[in-house]
């Protein structure tokens, strides 16, 4: 195995594959695995280059062979000139259409799972929702083999917030509507308190939801208290179960897949192994007419110029730039920095600045044109590679992607994130073999074989894509086997809490 990895001839650093002692590969200091080694002198204030892009600036003179990390590399705000549509490489349509076995809904969209969702309008109805869902044990659901489960989606907001027209209110309603309409949901029960700011009736009216056997709602205050609400909710779902169970899997084209492209607990290998492999899988899906949805706006900061160059038109690219400007303002008025994003775990794994992290994270989007840019939890209507605004906080980001319509989640991790989401099954891709071996019960694919076994990015990308088809057909992921997904519903709370 190589001791270092150089990603471009233009780079003035390399990434260390195994820990280096002084003297190894020209190292003048001990350099941890995954961290950077300077290959030439970098003077104070000069750019540090990785991926053939600037990842920061030398905070002091850096000698050849030195360890390059947070102690001698500084972040500066990005002032970028953008090109639009100058790097368009449309996917070549696949020769053979791929298929999976999914649930074709009346809307025409296709589910990969078949859940009943208990959605809450406000934190005050969370206990009621959980009690309703917990009633439906595996034993009680055994008579309904086509139902994957009854899940409570509860959150900590819905009141004490600005009302209609505010960013926070509209984002929460998009999340609720999006989960109610996600094709992985066969039946919906909405539970509220009654006096909250986020009124269920307003949601039903604003988004054209139609009450019926598979869409029910109730409020604790109207039905006479918590106990009566729980009892009524159980009865409503008992009536739904036989109807939801009538859904059966049929052969569907891969073009009906919409995959949330996500990463968490990133390390230095994320942008070298797992994320590029997921990017290739995204390219394969786009060639089939399917959709990939990249998110986490703070985690493309410093790499967004690579995406605007892939935008199908200027308007699409400018939507992305507008999101970047909003985040710059948002962090500034909250006395933060875009460089606050890399976590302590990210840095321990070798990442230094948000620029370095973003360049690796953006690789999940593959190489095809950027066809659409969307608000948080806004329905994604374009096919191909798209982007949805969200924080870098994984649960909030994935919640938005599922609300936008994603029926699968693909999550890369280097440090070892234990994550799953419902109602959309989540697969996890390990960036390195050591972590994969240590956490085999959590990881579905080992992209670390790109380094440890010499596999190509394309080989591992094909492996990931083929698992998407299998999991879409019902194959259980590691996170599903461990019961993850009941507590990862986290709508992004924007604005003041009042």
């Amino acid at each position: 195995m190589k001791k270092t990895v150089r990603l471009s001839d233009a780079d003035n650093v390399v990434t260390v594959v195994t820990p280096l002692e002084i003297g190894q590969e020209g190292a003048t200091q001990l350099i941890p695995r995954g961290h950077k080694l300077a290959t030439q002198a970098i003077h104070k204030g000069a750019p540090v280059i990785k991926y053939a892009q600037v990842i920061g600036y030398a905070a002091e003179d850096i000698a050849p062979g030195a360890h390059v990390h947070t102690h001698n590399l500084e972040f500066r705000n990005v002032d970028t000139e953008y090109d639009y549509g100058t790097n368009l490489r449309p996917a070549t349509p696949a020769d053979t259409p791929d298929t999976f076995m999914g649930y074709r809904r009346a809307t025409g969209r296709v589910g990969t799972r078949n859940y009943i969702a208990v959605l809450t309008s406000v934190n005050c109805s969370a206990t009621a929702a959980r009690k309703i869902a917990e009633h439906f044990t595996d034993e009680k659901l055994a008579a309904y083999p086509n139902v994957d489960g009854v899940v409570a989606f509860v959150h900590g907001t819905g009141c004490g917030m600005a009302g209609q027209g505010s960013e926070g209110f509209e984002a929460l309603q998009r999340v609720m509507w999006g989960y109610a309409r996600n094709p992985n949901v066969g039946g919906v029960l909405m539970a509220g308190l009654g006096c909250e700011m986020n009124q269920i009736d307003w949601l039903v009216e604003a988004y054209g939801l139609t009450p019926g056997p598979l869409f029910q709602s109730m409020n604790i205050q109207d039905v006479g208290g918590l106990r009566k609400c729980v009892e009524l909710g159980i009865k409503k779902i008992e009536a739904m179960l036989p109807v939801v169970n009538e859904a059966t899997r049929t052969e569907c084209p891969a073009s009906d897949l919409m995959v949330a492209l996500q990463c968490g607990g990133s390390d230095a290998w994320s942008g070298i192994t797992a994320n590029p492999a997921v990017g290739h899988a995204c390219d394969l899906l786009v060639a089939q007419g399917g959709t990939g949805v990249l998110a986490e706006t703070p985690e493309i900061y410093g790499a967004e110029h690579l995406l605007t160059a892939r935008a199908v038109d200027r308007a699409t690219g400018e939507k992305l730039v507008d999101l970047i400007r909003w985040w710059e303002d948002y962090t500034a008025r909250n006395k933060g920095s875009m460089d606050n994003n890399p976590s302590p775990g990210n840095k321990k794994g070798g990442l230094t600045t948000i620029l370095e992290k973003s360049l690796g994270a953006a690789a999940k989007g593959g190489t095809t044109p950027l066809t659409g840019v969307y608000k948080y939890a806004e329905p994604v209507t374009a096919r191909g590679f798209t982007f949805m605004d969200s924080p870098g906080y994984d649960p909030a980001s994935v919640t938005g992607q599922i609300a936008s319509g994603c029926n699968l989640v693909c999550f890369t991790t280097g440090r070892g994130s234990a994550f799953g989401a419902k109602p959309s099954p989540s697969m996890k891709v390990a960036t390195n073999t050591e972590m994969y071996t240590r956490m085999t019960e959590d990881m579905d694919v080992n992209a670390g074989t790109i380094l440890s076994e010499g596999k190509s990015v394309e080989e591992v990308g094909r492996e990931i894509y083929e698992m998407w088809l299998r999991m879409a057909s019902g194959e259980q992921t590691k996170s599903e086997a461990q019961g993850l997904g009941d507590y990862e519903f986290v709508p992004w709370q924007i604005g003041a809490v009042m």
Side-chain angles (χ1 to χ4, degrees):
M1 182 190 296
K2 293 180 178 179
K3 291 183 183 288
T4 62
V5 174
R6 178 185 290 276
L7 300 174
S8 168
D9 290 340
D11 295 351
N12 54 16
V13 294
V14 293
T15 303
V16 171
V17 178
T18 59
L20 293 184
E21 302 287 340
I22 294 173
Q24 291 182 308
E25 302 292 311
T28 59
Q29 299 171 307
L30 298 175
I31 302 181
R33 179 178 179 276
H35 287 232
K36 294 172 289 296
L37 165 76
T39 58
Q40 62 189 66
I42 308 172
H43 298 296
K44 182 178 180 179
V48 176
I49 309 294
K50 181 181 175 183
Y51 302 106
Q53 303 287 327
V54 176
I55 64 167
Y57 295 84
E60 59 188 43
D61 287 341
I62 301 174
H67 180 203
V68 178
H69 198 45
T70 54
H71 62 288
N72 59 4
L73 176 60
E74 65 182 13
F75 165 80
R76 296 180 188 173
N77 283 322
V78 178
D79 185 15
T80 306
E81 292 185 6
Y82 298 104
D83 293 322
Y84 300 98
T86 57
N87 184 26
L88 296 178
R89 290 188 278 174
T92 302
D95 294 332
T96 305
D98 292 327
T99 62
F100 67 100
M101 299 300 290
Y103 295 100
R104 178 71 64 183
R105 304 299 186 186
T107 60
R109 295 194 297 169
V110 176
T112 63
R113 296 294 184 270
N114 192 32
Y115 281 101
I116 293 176
V118 186
L119 284 164
T120 56
S121 60
V122 66
N123 175 258
C124 306
S125 55
T127 297
R130 288 220 186 275
K131 285 179 177 290
I132 292 166
E134 288 166 0
H135 173 81
F136 294 94
T137 61
D138 290 343
E139 290 75 19
K140 286 187 172 67
L141 293 177
Y144 306 100
N146 294 332
V147 178
D148 288 297
V150 178
V151 186
F153 294 105
V154 308
H155 55 88
T157 184
C159 209
M161 63 190 305
Q164 296 186 64
S166 70
E167 287 179 313
F169 184 88
E170 292 186 351
L172 179 59
Q173 289 225 316
R174 287 197 301 270
V175 168
M176 291 180 63
W177 178 86
Y179 269 65
R181 296 289 300 272
N182 188 284
N184 291 352
V185 173
V188 177
L189 173 63
M190 285 192 173
L193 175 62
C195 59
E196 62 268 25
M197 178 62 71
N198 182 35
Q199 290 283 307
I200 292 175
D201 289 346
W202 295 348
L203 175 74
V204 170
E205 180 180 352
Y207 288 92
L209 297 169
T210 305
L214 297 178
F215 180 82
Q216 299 277 310
S217 64
M218 60 184 184
N219 285 321
I220 294 171
Q221 293 168 350
D222 292 342
V223 302
L226 177 66
R227 179 185 59 81
K228 291 179 180 179
C229 181
V230 172
E231 290 176 351
L232 180 59
I234 289 170
K235 289 179 181 178
K236 286 178 177 292
I237 289 179
E238 285 175 339
M240 280 185 198
L241 279 167
V243 184
V244 176
N245 190 60
E246 290 175 1
T248 56
R249 291 185 182 272
T250 59
E251 189 172 28
C252 302
S255 57
D256 285 319
L257 293 178
M258 184 183 292
V259 181
L261 308 171
Q262 189 70 205
C263 60
S266 300
D267 69 355
W269 310 116
S270 297
I272 297 172
T273 61
N275 291 349
V278 168
H280 183 68
C282 182
D283 287 349
L284 294 175
L285 179 63
V286 171
Q288 292 282 340
T291 306
V293 183
L294 186 65
E296 300 182 294
T297 313
E299 295 188 13
I300 62 156
Y301 186 74
E304 76 275 6
H305 63 289
L306 303 177
L307 300 182
T308 62
R310 292 164 52 190
V312 290
D313 53 42
R314 187 180 185 92
T316 300
E318 287 181 342
K319 277 187 178 182
L320 187 65
V321 175
D322 288 344
L323 295 181
I324 294 293
R325 298 292 175 248
W326 185 94
W327 276 94
E328 288 177 328
D329 176 68
Y330 179 65
T331 54
R333 68 177 184 259
N334 286 286
K335 297 180 172 57
S337 164
M338 295 297 284
D339 197 43
N340 288 347
N341 179 278
S343 69
N346 293 155
K347 292 176 180 178
K348 189 174 180 180
L351 296 175
T352 307
T353 66
I354 186 55
L355 306 181
E356 181 180 9
K357 185 176 181 180
S358 293
L359 289 162
K364 299 191 299 293
T367 63
T368 63
L370 175 66
T371 59
V373 175
Y374 296 88
K375 298 177 188 175
Y376 180 76
E378 183 181 9
V380 171
T381 55
R383 297 292 182 102
F385 167 57
T386 64
F387 187 86
M388 184 205 76
D389 184 33
S390 84
Y393 182 46
D394 308 323
S397 183
V398 174
T399 294
Q401 288 171 307
I402 292 174
S404 76
C406 291
N407 51 12
L408 296 177
V409 177
C410 184
F411 190 110
T412 69
T413 181
R415 303 295 292 170
S417 293
F419 181 89
K422 292 178 181 176
S424 298
S426 307
M427 67 174 290
K428 291 197 287 299
V429 182
T431 72
N432 64 88
T433 298
E434 290 78 7
M435 186 272 289
Y436 176 83
T437 303
R438 191 170 64 250
M439 298 182 66
T440 53
E441 294 179 356
D442 298 87
M443 301 295 129
D444 296 281
V445 173
N446 179 19
T449 54
I450 293 170
L451 287 177
S452 62
E453 298 178 19
K455 286 187 178 180
S456 68
V457 166
E458 291 75 19
E459 283 180 284
V460 177
R462 169 65 66 174
E463 183 182 351
I464 292 167
Y465 169 74
E466 289 178 352
M467 185 169 178
W468 289 352
L469 297 176
R470 297 197 308 275
M471 63 194 273
S473 297
E475 180 178 308
Q476 195 176 54
T477 65
K478 297 286 183 69
S479 65
E480 289 179 291
Q482 297 204 80
L484 285 158
D486 291 290
Y487 298 92
E488 286 76 7
F489 177 73
V490 183
W492 179 19
Q493 190 167 343
I494 312 171
V497 177
M498 300 178 182

